Amino acid sequence: MLSRLGALLQEAMGAREPSIDLLEAFVEHWKGITNYYIESTDENTPAKKTDIPWRLKQMLDILVYEEKQQAAAGEAGPCLEYLLQHKILETLCTLGKAEYPPGMRQQVLQFFSEVLNQVQHPLLHYLSVHRPVQGKKTVGRKEASREATALPREAAGIKNEEQPHSKAPDRGAWGARALSTQLPAETEQPDGGTGESNLITSLIGLCKSKKGRVALKAQENLLLLVSVASQAAATYLVQSSPCCPAIVEHLCQLYQSLPSFLDPADIAALEGISWRLPSAPSDEASFPGKETLAAFLGWFDYCDHLITEAHTVVSDALAKSVAEKLFVEILQPQLLHVSEQNVLTSTALLTAMLRQLRSPALLREAVDFLLGTDQQPAAPEDSPHTLGGHLVRHCDHLSDEISVATLRLFEELLQKPHEQIIHSLILCHLEGRPYVARGSPEPESYEDTLDLEEDPYFTDGFLDSSFQPSMKPPPAPVTNPDGKTAVTEIVNSFLCLVPEEAKTSAFLEETGYDTYVHDAYGLFQECSSRVAPWGWPPAPTPLDPHEPERPFFEGHFLRMLFDRMSRILEQPYSLNLQVTSVLSRLALFPHPLIHEYLLDPYINLAPGCRSLFSVLVRVIGDLMQRIQRVPQFPGKLLLVRRQLMGQVPGEQLDHQTLLQGVVVLEEFCKELAAIAFVKFPPHGPHLRLSEPPEGHV
């Protein structure tokens, strides 16, 4: 009984609610809009107070509903066909240009954006849609801030047309046509010329807006467009649109607008610049040119982000354009300029760019720009044939400022995840282990390695001095089953390298070896994760004792660092800090050849070869001669250390450069010991950081 009553009620309701004719309703709403212009006499009533917004919303809902009903057929419905055949969008574009009633332009912009975004059927290849969309953007440039809020939806609509649908044909070519560089030939400007406005140029123009919100919206929009999935659309963006040239041109303009008097220290200190927040942080000190510099770094960060997110075709083209136009044509002449100020400023700016660089494509171009593509090791007599070769020379420049700035550039470069960097600078010269003596027996005891009379790195005067070793040399170094020197022997060698009379850290707190262990552990983990994909071997290749020795050259980069290290007692404090910082970065790399050459004091060097440890040994010999000529050396050394730590006021002392160099030397030896410890901990792969020793492990 109840079921029959329910059926009767449903029949009654169906009789009271006749089916709605979608086309008739769609035409009725469109006629309602056109009748407003025929019947209305009030020109001041805003559009939002009329029924036009409501009718446009109803038309949009009908189109979306009809498409869902027609999804099975995969064809355009009658309402959509009516929209296209009667050129409703072109009529709306004309009404929007007239801005009658007031606010009509914004209503049309919103309707266009919603149609492109919500209607899944491809529309932009129809001339009746493409032409008014282009015309709408031309008009919208007069009110950039309003258009910026509507453009994201339009860009999303274009991107949606790039996405493949299960029951629709490939839309790549249609999406490419939507990004054409000019309006259709039939659309002319009032002066008779053909319009050159399109979505790309409009967005790039809005990216330069002084209004932060408008610029950010446009940048997000442009990022959405360059990430299109279609190969055809991406190719069209590169080959037939002004996308890449316009983006890079703006980057070059911002670079060339930078003042020439920028201080490298200010450039290095300005961090945290992002394209989403291009203005410099307010808590940082202000300096001349700060806003201009922040604008350039913000746009460079945006270009880097574009290259990361864009389609591969667009990404490669944009990266090559940045390298060609900015790096080669503008930056390289400044880096090689005779003016020291130009060299200094451009080096600091390149370092800042490397610090922000994240995209693999742009990093690849930057590495090729700096180091070239030739992977062959250089000879000692070779003149620089790449920009990197010239920059290595700048590290040993007469100007200490240029040397520090260029060393800082290489330190930043060494932190980038690109294997060619460390291979070109270091590994290509160490391959084959030519620095190890062939065919000579291993020393029977450690004393054999300390024959100072045969050590070419000790001077004759050192043997005549009053310096004597404070303890008997330790026994022969312990080796592991794999032939590598035990880490305890390596650590002790570096910790005991500086004689007791030249050490001051024991008199102060928080300057012990343990602080470097903690820091080195974090840096080593970071470096190891960065180089893990490169598949480096765990141990060096065994030597063939019958293989003849070949000349060894450590490379221009290591030679420069060793030469600088040998002059540590004569160089300014800031320069010494930067030299040791770069060497520490190198020592952190988990490559067996780097570890052996830089951190193993017991390798049997081939004649005429030097390692980092042998350079330090010679520096210690030079130090012990100089100590004899400095009265009250221990007291002055402790005073200088306290000055450097800010514990006492700074005052000029005799031999201050020497004393500061001794402090850096002591700290550097502790840092190398800590790096060796964390790379090969004595208790296995897991570090034990509790109660590390002050002098021995």
Side-chain angles (χ1 to χ4, degrees):
M1 181 69 181
L2 291 176
S3 61
R4 293 187 60 186
L5 180 59
L8 291 174
L9 289 175
Q10 287 184 352
E11 291 178 4
M13 291 179 63
R16 291 182 182 181
E17 294 184 4
S19 60
I20 300 175
D21 188 332
L22 293 180
L23 179 59
E24 181 181 347
F26 187 83
V27 173
E28 179 183 350
H29 286 300
W30 174 238
K31 288 183 177 180
I33 294 175
T34 56
N35 287 338
Y36 174 84
Y37 288 90
I38 298 174
E39 300 172 357
S40 176
T41 58
D42 186 0
E43 298 181 357
N44 298 322
T45 302
K48 62 183 180 180
K49 292 188 177 181
T50 67
D51 64 349
I52 292 177
W54 176 76
R55 291 190 179 278
L56 288 175
K57 181 65 169 59
Q58 295 301 312
M59 292 171 64
L60 174 65
D61 291 343
I62 290 173
L63 289 173
V64 174
Y65 179 79
E66 179 189 64
E67 186 175 53
K68 292 180 179 179
Q69 299 297 318
Q70 297 283 337
E75 299 177 354
C79 297
L80 182 58
E81 295 209 359
Y82 184 90
L83 176 84
L84 299 174
Q85 291 175 2
H86 291 77
K87 300 181 179 180
I88 291 178
L89 295 181
E90 292 191 44
T91 304
L92 285 174
C93 183
T94 303
L95 298 177
K97 289 180 181 179
E99 188 62 0
Y100 172 71
M104 187 61 184
R105 179 182 300 151
Q106 184 64 25
Q107 298 299 326
V108 174
L109 283 171
Q110 184 175 352
F111 180 72
F112 276 35
S113 301
E114 294 294 345
V115 168
L116 290 174
N117 191 32
Q118 296 189 35
V119 176
Q120 300 298 317
H121 189 86
L123 298 175
L124 287 170
H125 64 291
Y126 294 109
L127 186 61
S128 59
V129 176
H130 181 267
R131 184 164 48 193
V133 167
Q134 295 281 22
K136 173 184 70 69
K137 291 196 291 289
T138 303
V139 175
R141 294 178 67 182
K142 298 178 182 179
E143 293 189 6
S145 61
R146 293 184 182 180
E147 185 174 354
T149 60
L151 279 173
R153 290 189 295 271
E154 183 176 327
I158 293 177
K159 182 172 174 58
N160 285 340
E161 296 210 2
E162 302 302 328
Q163 306 299 330
H165 297 278
S166 58
K167 298 183 180 180
D170 177 44
R171 298 176 170 90
W174 296 339
R177 292 181 59 184
L179 305 172
S180 62
T181 56
Q182 289 187 344
L183 292 171
E186 295 86 345
T187 304
E188 296 185 352
Q189 299 296 328
D191 59 2
T194 303
E196 295 184 355
S197 172
N198 70 353
L199 186 57
I200 296 294
T201 53
S202 298
L203 286 173
I204 294 176
L206 291 174
C207 287
K208 305 174 185 178
S209 174
K210 299 298 182 182
K211 298 180 180 179
R213 185 180 64 87
V214 174
L216 181 60
K217 284 286 185 182
Q219 289 171 5
E220 292 174 345
N221 234 351
L222 187 59
L223 181 63
L224 185 65
L225 284 180
V226 299
S227 60
V228 291
S230 166
Q231 179 82 12
T235 303
Y236 195 94
L237 273 174
V238 171
Q239 298 180 355
S240 305
S241 83
C243 179
C244 294
I247 292 172
V248 177
E249 180 185 5
H250 185 50
L251 179 67
C252 295
Q253 289 173 349
L254 289 173
Y255 181 89
Q256 292 173 326
S257 67
L258 295 172
S260 58
F261 52 79
L262 281 173
D263 188 342
D266 292 332
I267 298 174
L270 189 60
E271 297 182 353
I273 300 299
S274 168
W275 66 274
R276 294 186 180 276
L277 188 64
S279 58
S282 57
D283 57 343
E284 294 186 1
S286 179
F287 57 86
K290 179 178 180 180
E291 294 302 323
T292 309
L293 176 61
F296 166 72
L297 293 178
W299 188 255
F300 180 82
D301 183 63
Y302 178 66
C303 292
D304 182 64
H305 197 74
L306 276 178
I307 295 171
T308 302
E309 299 295 333
H311 188 282
T312 305
V313 174
V314 181
S315 173
D316 292 341
L318 187 55
K320 290 182 182 297
S321 184
V322 171
E324 178 183 348
K325 298 299 181 181
L326 178 62
F327 292 166
V328 177
E329 295 185 8
I330 298 178
L331 202 55
Q332 181 168 315
Q334 295 182 359
L335 291 168
L336 302 177
H337 203 274
V338 295
S339 168
E340 291 188 359
Q341 183 60 43
N342 281 355
V343 173
L344 195 59
T345 304
S346 57
T347 303
L349 287 170
L350 180 56
T351 305
M353 285 185 272
L354 284 176
R355 186 168 58 241
Q356 292 194 237
L357 199 155
R358 297 291 183 272
S359 62
L362 188 54
L363 176 59
R364 182 175 62 250
E365 294 294 334
V367 172
D368 290 345
F369 164 68
L370 289 170
L371 304 178
T373 56
D374 186 10
Q375 298 288 315
Q376 298 301 318
E381 65 277 1
D382 288 349
S383 58
H385 60 279
T386 64
L387 177 62
H390 290 281
L391 292 177
V392 169
R393 287 189 172 184
H394 286 180
C395 294
D396 206 0
H397 201 275
L398 291 175
S399 168
D400 291 334
E401 285 186 298
I402 291 180
S403 297
V404 171
T406 313
L407 284 166
R408 191 176 291 124
L409 170 66
F410 277 106
E411 183 181 9
E412 195 66 47
L413 189 63
L414 288 170
Q415 299 176 59
K416 293 301 172 184
H418 198 293
E419 189 176 7
Q420 183 185 340
I421 299 171
I422 190 65
H423 187 272
S424 297
L425 294 176
I426 307 295
L427 289 178
C428 67
H429 301 282
L430 303 183
E431 289 176 344
R433 304 170 70 192
Y435 49 86
V436 179
R438 261 74 168 174
S440 58
E442 294 294 330
E444 295 182 0
S445 66
Y446 184 39
E447 285 85 344
D448 294 340
T449 67
L450 293 177
D451 190 351
L452 303 184
E453 294 180 350
E454 297 180 2
D455 192 337
Y457 299 106
F458 275 80
T459 60
D460 295 336
F462 170 70
L463 297 175
D464 298 332
S465 68
S466 59
F467 169 70
Q468 297 292 334
S470 58
M471 64 179 67
K472 183 180 179 180
V478 180
T479 57
N480 293 327
D482 58 2
K484 292 186 293 188
T485 306
V487 66
T488 53
E489 297 296 331
I490 297 177
V491 172
N492 287 335
S493 297
F494 282 110
L495 291 179
C496 299
L497 189 58
V498 178
E500 293 299 325
E501 51 264 51
K503 291 182 178 180
T504 53
S505 59
F507 299 98
L508 302 172
E509 297 180 357
E510 298 182 357
T511 57
Y513 163 79
D514 57 328
T515 58
Y516 285 102
V517 171
H518 284 273
D519 294 340
Y521 179 68
L523 293 173
F524 177 65
Q525 293 298 317
E526 177 187 346
C527 182
S528 298
S529 62
R530 186 169 64 246
V531 307
W534 302 345
W536 281 349
T541 304
L543 290 175
D544 183 358
H546 304 291
E547 181 183 354
E549 292 185 357
R550 58 185 175 90
F552 170 65
F553 175 52
E554 63 265 33
H556 294 287
F557 187 63
L558 271 181
R559 181 174 68 175
M560 174 273 300
L561 290 174
F562 286 174
D563 290 345
R564 278 294 190 189
M565 198 65 214
S566 66
R567 302 196 297 268
I568 191 173
L569 303 178
E570 307 164 3
Q571 296 172 157
Y573 177 69
S574 59
L575 181 55
N576 286 336
L577 286 181
Q578 197 58 53
V579 171
T580 55
S581 180
V582 173
L583 282 168
S584 298
R585 288 283 179 187
L586 288 175
L588 283 166
F589 280 93
H591 194 285
L593 298 182
I594 293 178
H595 177 79
E596 179 182 53
Y597 186 62
L598 294 183
L599 292 179
D600 191 349
Y602 301 105
I603 56 173
N604 190 15
L605 291 173
C609 296
R610 58 178 179 172
S611 66
L612 177 57
F613 189 81
S614 70
V615 172
L616 292 174
V617 168
R618 182 168 183 173
V619 171
I620 296 299
D622 185 23
L623 170 63
M624 298 314 300
Q625 294 182 74
R626 293 173 183 247
I627 285 179
Q628 311 303 320
R629 301 192 293 266
V630 180
Q632 301 177 344
F633 177 80
K636 290 182 178 180
L637 183 61
L638 183 58
L639 176 61
V640 166
R641 174 180 277 276
R642 285 177 171 164
Q643 288 178 351
L644 294 175
M645 297 179 66
Q647 296 180 355
V648 296
E651 60 179 76
Q652 191 65 32
L653 299 174
D654 294 336
H655 310 286
Q656 188 158 11
T657 300
L658 169 65
L659 297 171
Q660 291 176 343
V662 175
V663 173
V664 175
L665 181 62
E666 180 188 358
E667 296 304 306
F668 182 52
C669 289
K670 291 193 297 184
E671 188 174 12
L672 291 177
I675 292 173
F677 181 78
V678 299
K679 291 179 79 172
F680 299 100
H683 302 295
H686 300 288
L687 270 179
R688 297 183 181 179
L689 300 179
S690 60
E691 300 181 0
E694 289 292 338
H696 290 69
V697 175

